[in-house]
Structure formats: C-alpha cells, structure tokens
Amino acid sequence: AALAEGTPRLAAKQCYSGLNAISNGGDLRLLVPLYVTLGKALEPDRSQQLAAQDSFERALMVARERARSLHVAQAYLAAGLHLKRYSQRMTTRARGSGYLYEAERRYKALGLPVPET
C-alpha cells in the first residue's frame, strides 16, 4: 500500500521488516513478493540501483526454487523491466529482454494477460 501511495521509503522499510520476520520462521512463499516490492521501492532512488537489482535477482532465485507460478511470472516481469529501464550495458539489457519473454510465456501458461507496464 505504501508503494501505491507514493512513499517508496516507507515501502522499503516495511519490506525489510517483512524479510526479517520471514527469516525468523515465517512463510517462505512470501519472499518473492517481498523482494519484488522492495526492488520496486528502491528503483526510483538512483543511488539504490544496485540494491534494487539485487532484490530482483533474489526474487528470481527464490522464485525458481519454491514460489507459486504467478509469483515466478511477476518476478521475471519486474526483473526484466528493471534491467531494460536502468541498465546501460547491452548484455544486461538483453538479459532483461529474456526475462520479459519468460514472464510473458509464464503469464500465457497461466491464462493471464501480461500486465501493462
């Protein structure tokens, strides 16, 4: 809700609290949405670009292991959009395109439209 209200710092703080709660025995299936939300909260701050990219990569790593299908698709979409928007290196942008392709494929497999970006 904090991210939707336009308060990314508050959203990031809440995501960090959620990640700490999960590390203390919480539901691991919540890791992917938390990492994706954290990445989106950190994105607007140029000084936090590496932290945002790390959040998206962690979301993908966890998604590949133990996430729901929808969360996997969301992680690929968020990571792909981030790399396409903020990366200067062509190889990294190409990886982002691959992530976007995989997200589209996964949304279609679920019978869902790809969210508008």
Side-chain angles (χ1 to χ4, degrees):
L3 190 58
E5 290 175 352
T7 54
R9 287 184 186 200
L10 178 59
K13 181 179 176 184
Q14 292 172 342
C15 286
Y16 285 125
S17 294
L19 290 169
N20 286 334
I22 288 174
S23 68
N24 292 329
D27 186 359
L28 297 177
R29 293 174 296 177
L30 295 175
L31 280 175
V32 175
L34 280 171
Y35 277 128
V36 168
T37 304
L38 178 60
K40 288 179 180 181
L42 296 173
E43 256 182 344
D45 185 355
R46 288 284 190 189
S47 67
Q48 295 291 327
Q49 290 302 305
L50 289 176
Q53 185 173 344
D54 181 62
S55 292
F56 292 125
E57 293 296 331
R58 286 173 185 261
L60 284 172
M61 185 177 10
V62 173
R64 290 177 186 134
E65 295 295 320
R66 62 171 63 108
R68 295 178 173 111
S69 297
L70 178 60
H71 292 159
V72 176
Q74 290 171 335
Y76 274 111
L77 181 65
L81 290 173
H82 176 77
L83 293 178
K84 293 285 285 182
R85 288 179 184 152
Y86 296 102
S87 180
Q88 301 298 320
R89 298 177 60 196
M90 293 303 286
T91 55
T92 307
R93 290 176 63 105
R95 186 173 42 158
S97 293
Y99 288 167
L100 292 174
Y101 171 77
E102 185 64 23
E104 182 178 341
R105 190 178 73 75
R106 289 180 181 261
Y107 275 108
K108 284 182 180 178
L110 292 170
L112 298 171
V114 179
E116 295 285 327
T117 55

